[in-house]
Amino acid sequence: MTTVINSHPKPRAPANPIDILNNDAAKLYTHLHPALVLSLYAYQFRSIVADPVPALTSALVPLSILQIAYVATCLPPTGNSGSSTLQQEKRKPGEKKKPVPGKVEVGINVKIIPAFLSLLLSLLVATPLLTATLVLFGAPITTHHTHTLLCGAHIALLSTLPLVYVHGVDGETWREIVAMLLPIDEVYGGLIGTVVGAWVGAVPIPLDWDREWQKWPVTIVTGAYIGFVVGKLVGGTLLRGKKIMFE
Amino acid sequence: MDNGESLPSFEGIAAAFAKAKAEKEKEESQGLKPLTVDAAKANKQGEVHFKAAHGILVAFFTWILILHALGIYLFTSGFLLTRLVLDDKSECSVPPVNSARSYTPGSPETGCWHPKTFEKAIVIIIDALRYDFTIPFPPAGSDEKPHHFHNAIPVLHETAINQPNNAFLLPFIADPPTTTLQRLKGLTTGTLPTFIDAGSNFAGTAIDEDNLVAQLRNASKRIVHLGDDTWHALFPGYFEPNLTRAYDSFNVWDLHTVDNGVTDHIFPLMQPSNTSKWDVIFGHYLGVDHAGHRYGPEHPAMNAKLQQMDEIIHKMIEQLDDSTLLVIMGDHGMDAKGDHGGESDDEIQAALWMYSKQKLFGRSSPAYVTPPATAKERPIAQIDLVPTLSLLLGMPIPFNNLGKPIEEAFIGAKGDNFENLAIVNRLASSQIHRYQHEYAVARSIDVSTRATSLRLWEEANVAWGSLDGKRKKSDSFKDPYAAFSAYQQETLGVCRALWARFDVPRMLNGVTILAFTLVILAIYARGIEGDRSELTPVLLFRGGAGTALGVIVGFAASVALPNIPREHVLIYTSAVSGTIGIASAFWYIRRRLVSPLPSTIWGWMSVLFTILLSVGFAANSFTIWEDEILLHFLCTFGVLTTLSSLRQKKTADRALGCYHSILFIILTRVASLSRLCREEQMPFCKSTYYASANSSTSATWQLAIPYVVALLLPVFIRDYYGGTLSYQGSAVLWLGFALRFGLLLSAAYWTLDAADDGNWYPGYGEILKTTKIVIAQITFAIALAFGYSTFNWSKPFLNIKSNAPDSKDTSSQVVADGGSTSIAILGYANVHGSRYALLITMWSLAIILVQKPMGAGAIGIATWQLFSLLEIIDTNRLADSPIGPVVLGLLGSFHFFKTGHQATLSSIQWETAFIPLRTIRYPWTPLLVLLNSFGAQILCAIAVPALVLWKQPPKKKGLLGDVAKAVGTHLLFYAVINLATTMWAGHLRRHLMLYRIFSPRFMTGALVLLVVDLVCVFVAVGGTRMSFLSVAEVFGWTS
């Protein structure tokens, strides 16, 4: 086979790792955020173990708020990725420069609305997909549907909300995200960490320790939270800019 | 996949050879080779070369198989418990102590060591009579609904309550393994079983230890046996030939022949005119056990069977005379599905009931009149029957007995004769003491291990001595009775521990052999660059030389080490020396060695899956939940290949890869719905394999599954062939007709079987039976006889088509271009893969036939998944990666569970032996059970070569070496699992769960490794010979 069929005749600019916004609030909050998320989870852990469904449901609200605060404060919204120089290059020739709007308006238009859209997409698209994946991996098929759905929702909020915010909904970008072709940054690291954490979270379930917290889906959610924090940290520092190679 | 690249040669000859080869290739690349005389000669040479290389490969893998077998043998012989059998026999005139109450021993007429109570006895075994069958349900204060097996045999409980001096009923605890043969040994010798006998259920062997039946025979008692023929294997020639009737015990689908035989012959013998013809009758009913195996306890057939037993016992009570003791007992229980063999509570809890017309039995407390509500209260051990029966019948207690006389039988009708109880316990304990002394001398056992029991022995004698010569109140004998009981209990405990004594050097040496072999296999499979088939000769030669040297060294060493059995030394030295020989061969070819450690994410995932699984076997929880772990891993693999597919450059590869990966995941999850839970998984698992958790028959709707498989599976496989236009020639005949017909026949078999089972057409049972057996035989003939003929003689699945030159089909090779038309070969793109994969479908048919309907669905899905996996591996270019063979290992292990198996003895589906046969026939019976048990692993092992052959060009270099690499990797997976389970079983040999969890898992792992070794060598690698020869007939030889 000599001709390589390429569905993208125009080669795309190589994706760059996401930088957090260059302001003090962003730099501060990006470190504060994981601590807040973990403490929030730790605070609710007891009630989640006691009765997972209501506790996990109510935990979704503060998690959403924290995640929205995180993306709005720290991350560049979609189409705004990378440094400003890159943004200039990306602008298509002939495109008009928009008039500069007011600061608050910018805040709402450029940050808050995309953040809420990301939340919506994470809940409506990512959650069902992740829930289905959980079932495929062996989650109970006839019982515990709400448990599994809530577990999927937590994973979605942790992993996909920031990704949707920074990368939008472009199909090709999402192919690259799923195919693990993007360079690692703290957002992508958060996704990988959450998923790996949830995977590892399945390990203690079969053990015969007879602990309350071994019940479905506590360990998975816990693994996802810890994985998110570790992944975000490692992705933003140690592995930043690295690419995942399969071969 | 750098097939043409030249490798650093290690020999000058190889370099010259490579040059010659390159020239030839150049010549061949011009087009199809003209068939000149020279070319024909070269081709012939190529064929000879291939056959030699293939033969050497088979020899090499056989040698690996032998190493595995040696290592497993050495470990097993040290691990499975051994007990020295003493030849000493108790004698009537030689009691173990001076007798009490001035009784003169030595006469069988009055009683050898103790005055006898009964002249005659009828001992009835109702096989698998579980204790809870015999007591009323629900117990007071509970509102649970009774099951079919409840309240169906009330006679035992009623008599025990209404006539407490005539009868008693007690839980009767079996020592595992709970197989009938082992139980009969325990019930007649009074000693503990050892695990090594567990497998000999197929053919029993005579007992040479002292036992009750031998003692009766020595005392010239006339013994009659009726029922289960296992007795004749154990006691050949002991029974009155003209009164005895034995029946085949293995046909578990027959509920009535044995039972009716026993009943028909026992009642005439109980007539007053006939009672003088015999002294002891042993009757053995099998109906309850067979109803359990066939239907499970929760079935009307079980209810009917137990009610029949109830009637029979009533009748026996009526006809019994005053001087005869009647004993009814179960030899073991049954689990929730009606199977047995292991050591779960349901399997070990049997019932014992004794009855006499004389008022002889008593209870030490009035509260004990009611039989225990559960088998956990006041249980007695099955070995306790031996001293009890011996003393009641005036026989000496068998020399090796460890049991204790049953309280109820000796305490007297008033329940206060502690003197008698103390006397019989003193006798039994003294015999135990005598036996222990002899055993300690014979085995040179350290006194310290017996210190506690010796102290208790002294104390008991002191307690007895303080009463000696004085006529005391009966109550004062309570102390010596308790002291002798304590001694017996302690000794039993010591013996249990002692006979759980492992031969650690043997185990360690076995593990060493397995570990060395593993290293060899790892380097061979993953640490060699280039074509393995070129290097195998030197490995085989050096390995063989090493083995030969090892034998010589072994002989010398066994002279130097006379204390170690020669066979142990020989096995160890030859195996280790053989692996060292291979290691030297690796040194010789060191320039071809690369690090066997993984370098890609796929390599790491292969290692991760294998290691995680192996480490998990150290924990009982992970061993119990192995099926779920495998599901998790297989889905992880599917997700990873989805991601990897999305990374592919070609859109077609992306789409195909994603489709097959997601299909693979979904099929895995669908298959996972077929479950047979092991006891330890309760209550978190719901069995779906049979109609219900308490059944071993399929539900009616499940009968449809094989038909769905028959309709869909050939269509799906055809599609996989169609993608490369390989659905040509014999493939059409096989996939389109023979396979489908065979699958339909197999489905018909299971429908007929259900009709026969459920008695849908009363009166036609015999016709149904004959028809289904014939159908099964025809199916086997289609799968293996017709299948192998097709596989061996069919041409590659190609077709020649001349068409317009603009046709751009990648599946066909344009061979002669130019002019207005061109000739294209259809099916060219997958000529090797399509040709070889026929073997998978053949074996799939054979394996589907021997699975229950639910299992047919699982194997059908497994087959579908295999083809999906082949596509995944191809679109992601992973043919060279270890992930394919490892995932096949995971898939095989996964479907092992999905075909209704667990790593427990009780889940073996023995009845498989009767699918195509009426009786036990060697070697077919064990082979059928193996094909049923490990069908999934066998199928996946056969698919291994297809991983590297699927969609490979016909003339690709080193394909045989690729096959060797993939097969080696697949074996490596099972070898790691086997080594891990072996090491864990050895390490955890004192673990509470050893016999329940670790030991069965070790045995499964070892068996699977040997089976997969065999299948890989003779079916998979053997199959490549046929398919390569067939392809080469058309395309010629490349080397």
Side-chain angles (χ1 to χ4, degrees):
Chain A
M1 193 54 57
T2 47
T3 53
V4 176
I5 301 161
N6 200 331
S7 54
H8 304 280
K10 215 168 103 186
R12 293 157 56 90
N16 282 351
I18 302 288
D19 285 314
I20 58 161
L21 293 178
N22 193 10
N23 60 51
D24 290 345
K27 280 178 186 162
L28 178 68
Y29 188 67
T30 191
H31 294 300
L32 208 56
H33 180 66
L36 283 176
V37 168
L38 260 196
S39 4
L40 176 78
Y41 185 70
Y43 173 70
Q44 288 168 319
F45 186 72
R46 216 177 274 269
S47 56
I48 292 174
V49 170
D51 195 355
V53 171
L56 282 176
T57 315
S58 59
L60 281 176
V61 179
L63 177 63
S64 313
I65 295 170
L66 282 180
Q67 286 287 73
I68 287 175
Y70 164 60
V71 295
T73 319
C74 307
L75 299 179
T78 173
N80 203 7
S81 62
S83 59
S84 53
T85 50
L86 224 137
Q87 199 184 333
Q88 300 259 303
E89 285 170 0
K90 265 193 165 178
R91 189 167 290 159
K92 280 171 193 157
E95 196 177 342
K96 274 181 194 164
K97 267 192 177 179
K98 282 172 192 154
V100 183
K103 222 176 181 186
V104 178
E105 206 186 330
V106 169
I108 291 176
N109 278 348
V110 180
K111 299 193 158 176
I112 303 299
I113 290 179
F116 271 97
L117 280 177
S118 311
L119 173 69
L120 211 61
L121 281 171
S122 302
L123 285 177
L124 294 183
V125 180
T127 305
L129 278 175
L130 285 165
T131 308
T133 311
L134 285 170
V135 171
L136 287 174
F137 268 76
I141 226 167
T142 49
T143 58
H144 295 79
H145 291 141
T146 332
H147 295 71
T148 313
L149 186 70
L150 284 167
C151 178
H154 275 264
I155 297 175
L157 286 190
L158 285 171
S159 61
T160 47
L161 190 152
L163 271 172
V164 178
Y165 183 80
V166 296
H167 291 297
V169 289
D170 174 39
E172 178 55 21
T173 313
W174 273 91
R175 179 186 77 82
E176 287 177 355
I177 291 173
V178 175
M180 314 238 274
L181 284 166
L182 292 190
I184 294 179
D185 50 51
E186 65 169 73
V187 179
Y188 204 36
L191 166 91
I192 296 169
T194 311
V195 171
V196 172
W199 193 92
V200 173
V203 171
I205 297 178
L207 288 171
D208 55 353
W209 296 345
D210 292 326
R211 296 301 159 96
E212 255 318 270
W213 53 259
Q214 282 177 290
K215 70 161 79 153
W216 181 257
V218 178
T219 54
I220 308 283
V221 178
T222 311
Y225 271 85
I226 297 173
F228 169 72
V229 171
V230 173
K232 181 176 176 301
L233 188 72
V234 177
T237 53
L238 222 59
L239 297 178
R240 201 185 135 75
K242 296 247 166 43
K243 281 199 155 193
I244 294 169
M245 300 308 290
F246 268 55
E247 300 297 332
Chain B
M1 232 152 302
D2 39 6
N3 33 341
E5 195 186 307
S6 69
L7 297 159
S9 64
F10 60 96
E11 280 168 317
I13 300 167
F17 182 64
K19 198 181 158 203
K21 215 158 64 173
E23 272 170 17
K24 213 165 117 226
E25 273 159 31
K26 204 173 140 199
E27 174 190 358
E28 279 163 7
S29 64
Q30 313 287 322
L32 276 190
K33 212 169 9 173
L35 199 68
T36 60
V37 180
D38 260 8
K41 214 167 137 192
N43 204 36
K44 187 73 201 158
Q45 243 171 16
E47 184 180 335
V48 171
H49 182 261
F50 166 77
K51 282 181 177 168
H54 184 274
I56 286 169
L57 206 59
V58 166
F60 177 75
F61 280 119
T62 310
W63 189 74
I64 294 280
L65 161 71
I66 292 169
L67 283 180
H68 282 151
L70 290 179
I72 289 168
Y73 167 76
L74 212 54
F75 179 86
T76 310
S77 62
F79 175 68
L80 294 184
L81 307 184
T82 48
R83 176 169 58 86
L84 187 68
V85 173
L86 296 184
D87 291 331
D88 305 61
K89 310 269 188 263
S90 291
E91 285 171 43
C92 190
S93 54
V94 191
V97 281
N98 59 330
S99 55
R101 270 195 295 191
S102 63
Y103 179 71
T104 317
S107 155
E109 276 68 48
T110 52
C112 279
W113 297 353
H114 188 72
K116 73 173 170 185
T117 319
F118 294 99
E119 292 295 326
K120 305 153 86 69
I122 298 176
V123 180
I124 302 292
I125 292 178
I126 298 178
D127 209 289
L129 182 68
R130 203 165 77 188
Y131 183 68
D132 63 342
F133 294 178
T134 64
I135 50 171
F137 191 92
S142 159
D143 54 352
E144 278 180 73
K145 279 227 177 98
H147 294 285
H148 284 297
F149 52 83
H150 282 129
N151 304 331
I153 180 163
V155 57
L156 309 177
H157 194 265
E158 282 165 9
T159 46
I161 287 192
N162 298 335
Q163 306 156 261
N165 293 335
N166 297 98
F168 64 87
L169 171 66
L170 283 173
F172 197 41
I173 306 300
D175 292 298
T178 46
T179 53
T180 296
L181 179 96
Q182 287 295 322
R183 293 291 76 243
L184 292 184
K185 283 188 176 177
L187 285 167
T188 52
T189 61
T191 188
L192 298 173
T194 44
F195 212 90
I196 203 148
D197 295 298
S200 47
N201 218 355
F202 275 104
T205 41
I207 299 182
D208 16 310
E209 277 185 286
D210 196 11
N211 64 74
L212 182 59
V213 182
Q215 288 292 350
L216 289 166
R217 173 126 184 103
N218 282 349
S220 315
K221 303 276 184 190
R222 288 152 304 166
I223 318 165
V224 175
H225 166 258
L226 303 168
D228 186 341
D229 63 354
T230 312
W231 286 80
H232 290 262
L234 293 173
F235 307 103
Y238 283 51
F239 305 113
E240 294 294 300
N242 45 352
L243 300 177
T244 293
R245 298 286 182 279
Y247 299 88
D248 184 16
S249 62
F250 197 71
N251 192 351
V252 293
W253 291 13
D254 179 351
L255 267 56
H256 301 296
T257 308
V258 181
D259 288 9
N260 294 344
V262 177
T263 309
D264 290 347
H265 291 96
I266 203 163
F267 286 108
L269 289 173
M270 291 175 78
Q271 298 293 332
S273 54
N274 285 332
T275 46
S276 57
K277 290 182 183 165
W278 54 269
D279 295 300
V280 178
I281 297 178
F282 290 101
H284 196 140
Y285 284 97
L286 284 173
V288 174
D289 180 55
H290 288 187
H293 283 303
R294 182 168 171 177
Y295 301 108
E298 181 61 339
H299 192 277
M302 178 61 81
N303 190 282
K305 199 73 218 175
L306 288 170
Q307 287 194 7
Q308 182 195 4
M309 290 295 123
D310 192 69
E311 280 166 35
I312 288 168
I313 296 168
H314 270 294
K315 210 170 150 196
M316 282 182 181
I317 293 174
E318 265 169 44
Q319 299 198 6
L320 197 69
D321 63 21
D322 284 355
S323 60
T324 306
L325 169 70
L326 177 61
V327 183
I328 309 271
M329 62 185 167
D331 57 344
H332 49 73
M334 58 174 71
D335 66 11
K337 296 193 293 62
D339 299 324
H340 57 86
E343 56 178 78
S344 68
D345 283 349
D346 277 347
E347 288 166 280
I348 61 170
Q349 294 170 347
L352 171 74
W353 176 83
M354 284 200 187
Y355 179 87
S356 141
K357 285 273 156 96
Q358 307 172 55
K359 292 190 182 304
L360 288 167
F361 302 138
R363 313 283 191 281
S364 60
S365 152
Y368 289 173
V369 168
T370 311
T374 71
K376 297 279 183 205
E377 301 158 44
R378 293 195 287 127
I380 55 166
Q382 293 206 338
I383 50 173
D384 293 351
L385 182 75
V386 175
T388 308
L389 268 187
S390 300
L391 295 174
L392 288 176
L393 294 173
M395 292 292 112
I397 299 174
F399 195 85
N400 297 345
N401 166 65
L402 291 169
K404 134 192 209 290
I406 299 167
E407 191 176 277
E408 277 76 357
F410 295 97
I411 200 165
K414 288 183 189 152
D416 60 356
N417 196 349
F418 286 100
E419 183 179 2
N420 191 37
L421 213 50
I423 290 170
V424 292
N425 272 283
R426 177 168 170 260
L427 274 173
S429 294
S430 306
Q431 178 52 44
I432 291 173
H433 185 68
R434 179 154 77 174
Y435 168 47
Q436 286 298 297
H437 177 71
E438 293 298 324
Y439 194 87
V441 170
R443 246 310 142 81
S444 51
I445 289 166
D446 195 16
V447 183
S448 62
T449 55
R450 300 172 62 212
T452 317
S453 70
L454 287 174
R455 185 174 51 76
L456 287 172
W457 171 248
E458 293 303 326
E459 284 172 12
N461 277 311
V462 169
W464 175 264
S466 68
L467 299 171
D468 202 24
K470 291 170 246 172
R471 197 78 191 166
K472 293 248 180 167
K473 273 199 296 184
S474 185
D475 272 7
S476 60
F477 284 94
K478 274 185 178 173
D479 283 346
Y481 164 51
F484 282 117
S485 295
Y487 168 73
Q488 182 266 345
Q489 281 301 315
E490 169 66 21
T491 312
L492 190 60
V494 169
C495 287
R496 272 191 218 283
L498 202 66
W499 292 332
R501 205 176 61 153
F502 303 93
D503 191 337
V504 177
R506 262 180 189 265
M507 289 160 61
L508 280 178
N509 288 348
V511 167
T512 313
I513 295 175
L514 290 175
F516 280 10
T517 315
L518 183 79
V519 173
I520 299 291
L521 201 54
I523 297 177
Y524 181 78
R526 305 309 321 169
I528 295 180
E529 217 173 0
D531 190 347
R532 273 148 191 77
S533 63
E534 289 171 6
L535 301 176
T536 312
V538 58
L539 294 180
L540 187 67
F541 174 73
R542 295 216 171 188
T547 311
L549 200 68
V551 172
I552 298 167
V553 172
F555 269 110
S558 67
V559 174
L561 302 164
N563 289 332
I564 306 174
R566 172 169 290 181
E567 135 266 13
H568 177 179
V569 178
L570 272 182
I571 287 175
Y572 185 66
T573 52
S574 55
V576 168
S577 168
T579 53
I580 293 173
I582 293 236
S584 85
F586 282 141
W587 177 253
Y588 178 66
I589 58 161
R590 60 192 173 278
R591 292 182 57 188
R592 293 280 293 270
L593 294 189
V594 290
S595 160
L597 287 176
S599 55
T600 66
I601 212 163
W602 297 112
W604 282 113
M605 285 321 283
S606 316
V607 172
L608 192 73
F609 287 149
T610 316
I611 297 292
L612 281 182
L613 206 56
S614 305
V615 170
F617 288 129
N620 44 7
S621 315
F622 290 131
T623 312
I624 292 167
W625 291 100
E626 190 185 347
D627 50 348
E628 294 293 290
I629 296 172
L630 290 166
L631 167 69
H632 203 74
F633 284 179
L634 285 170
C635 284
T636 308
F637 167 75
V639 167
L640 281 178
T641 53
T642 314
L643 306 190
S644 161
S645 300
L646 285 172
R647 296 167 77 100
Q648 299 301 320
K649 291 204 176 64
K650 280 196 271 179
T651 320
D653 277 348
R654 247 184 238 171
L656 261 181
C658 280
Y659 165 70
H660 285 296
S661 301
I662 292 168
L663 179 70
F664 186 85
I665 298 176
I666 292 174
L667 287 179
T668 309
R669 188 66 174 108
V670 170
S672 80
L673 299 177
S674 160
R675 302 178 90 174
L676 182 96
C677 308
R678 59 188 288 166
E679 198 201 8
E680 293 84 357
Q681 289 180 322
M682 297 301 178
F684 305 108
C685 175
K686 197 170 172 296
S687 288
T688 54
Y689 197 70
Y690 296 113
S692 79
N694 292 332
S695 160
S696 50
T697 51
S698 301
T700 316
W701 68 267
Q702 287 174 325
L703 297 179
I705 295 174
Y707 290 100
V708 176
V709 172
L711 289 179
L712 296 183
L713 188 62
V715 180
F716 293 146
I717 298 175
R718 203 176 60 192
D719 283 352
Y720 287 94
Y721 273 62
T724 49
L725 305 176
S726 302
Y727 189 58
Q728 314 280 358
S730 304
V732 178
L733 175 69
W734 172 257
L735 296 175
F737 178 70
L739 178 66
R740 180 172 307 208
F741 184 61
L743 287 170
L744 274 176
L745 280 183
S746 150
Y749 171 86
W750 286 103
T751 310
L752 287 177
D753 177 70
D756 180 27
D757 247 10
N759 209 11
W760 295 354
Y761 306 103
Y764 291 93
E766 198 46 42
I767 298 175
L768 283 177
K769 205 162 277 171
T770 312
T771 319
K772 73 176 188 182
I773 286 178
V774 170
I775 285 183
Q777 289 172 347
I778 294 174
T779 314
F780 264 119
I782 292 175
L784 298 180
F786 178 70
Y788 260 107
S789 318
T790 313
F791 185 66
N792 193 18
W793 284 295
S794 81
K795 298 259 176 296
F797 307 140
L798 300 167
N799 208 351
I800 307 286
K801 194 176 81 172
S802 40
N803 53 353
D806 55 330
S807 162
K808 283 270 181 283
D809 202 325
T810 53
S811 311
S812 55
Q813 171 85 339
V814 178
V815 288
D817 222 340
S820 58
T821 59
S822 63
I823 299 169
I825 306 179
L826 307 183
Y828 181 85
N830 192 16
V831 61
H832 269 297
S834 62
R835 187 67 181 75
Y836 179 80
L838 206 64
L839 196 64
I840 303 175
T841 61
M842 283 159 45
W843 280 91
S844 170
L845 171 59
I847 293 165
I848 282 176
L849 172 67
V850 296
Q851 306 295 338
K852 303 278 164 68
M854 200 70 169
I859 293 292
I861 289 180
T863 313
W864 191 2
Q865 282 186 291
L866 289 179
F867 283 95
S868 252
L869 182 66
L870 296 179
E871 293 288 348
I872 294 172
I873 295 293
D874 173 62
T875 54
N876 287 293
R877 289 164 188 75
L878 293 173
D880 199 40
S881 163
I883 194 75
V886 168
V887 164
L888 279 181
L890 295 175
L891 195 65
S893 313
F894 176 70
H895 282 284
F896 167 77
F897 295 99
K898 300 306 140 195
T899 47
H901 299 97
Q902 285 286 352
T904 58
L905 284 175
S906 61
S907 75
I908 300 172
Q909 299 170 15
W910 297 108
E911 62 274 22
T912 316
F914 297 101
I915 288 174
L917 296 170
R918 265 175 193 278
T919 52
I920 302 169
R921 291 251 290 276
Y922 293 94
W924 306 115
T925 300
L927 282 181
L928 284 162
V929 176
L930 281 179
L931 193 65
N932 166 280
S933 301
F934 306 120
Q937 286 102 330
I938 291 172
L939 188 67
C940 290
I942 294 170
V944 174
L947 288 173
V948 293
L949 298 179
W950 196 253
K951 298 194 179 169
Q952 298 297 343
K955 297 197 137 191
K956 191 182 161 192
K957 299 284 176 311
L959 268 183
L960 188 63
D962 291 345
V963 170
K965 185 175 182 179
V967 167
T969 312
H970 190 64
L971 294 183
L972 190 59
F973 169 79
Y974 285 111
V976 172
I977 300 289
N978 170 58
L979 180 64
T981 51
T982 307
M983 281 172 27
W984 297 135
H987 180 66
L988 299 167
R989 59 191 181 276
R990 301 290 176 199
H991 195 282
L992 192 64
M993 292 290 171
L994 177 70
Y995 286 132
R996 242 173 143 141
I997 291 170
F998 298 112
S999 188
R1001 188 62 189 84
F1002 147 67
M1003 290 193 283
T1004 314
L1007 260 177
V1008 166
L1009 177 64
L1010 295 179
V1011 167
V1012 169
D1013 269 344
L1014 269 173
V1015 170
C1016 274
V1017 177
F1018 294 106
V1019 183
V1021 177
T1024 57
R1025 186 178 196 268
M1026 300 179 195
S1027 76
F1028 277 37
L1029 284 173
S1030 153
V1031 172
E1033 225 170 86
V1034 174
F1035 293 101
W1037 293 98
T1038 46
S1039 52

